[in-house]
Amino acid sequence: MNNQIELSEILPIIAPIIVIQLILMVIALVLCAKAESTRGPKLMWVLIIIFVNIFGPIAFFIAGRRNER
């Protein structure tokens, strides 16, 4: 029995997740850069967005942005 997983078998599953992560990261970084103020230092949010994968951008959308009205 061959238990090795081929890349061609995993790629259709992983590719959409990677694309969603990159889109979320770019949008969160742009919004963070444009924001006048955030809840906490901007550098902290940039590091969280970049290094905490999918959950970093989501955390910024939920907790990091301030209502600018």
Side-chain angles (χ1 to χ4, degrees):
M1 295 189 142
N2 189 358
N3 290 333
Q4 291 182 339
I5 299 174
E6 295 290 325
L7 181 62
S8 62
E9 296 172 0
I10 292 180
L11 194 58
I13 297 168
I14 294 177
I17 295 170
I18 292 171
V19 170
I20 290 169
Q21 177 190 353
L22 289 174
I23 290 170
L24 283 174
M25 184 186 307
V26 168
I27 292 171
L29 288 172
V30 168
L31 289 176
C32 185
K34 287 184 176 181
E36 291 181 18
S37 62
T38 58
R39 291 187 176 110
K42 281 190 180 187
L43 178 60
M44 174 194 73
W45 280 113
V46 168
L47 294 175
I48 290 172
I49 291 167
I50 292 173
F51 292 114
V52 186
N53 294 325
I54 288 179
F55 299 109
I58 292 172
F60 176 73
F61 295 140
I62 293 172
R65 295 172 50 191
R66 289 187 186 249
N67 293 336
E68 298 175 10
R69 295 181 192 208

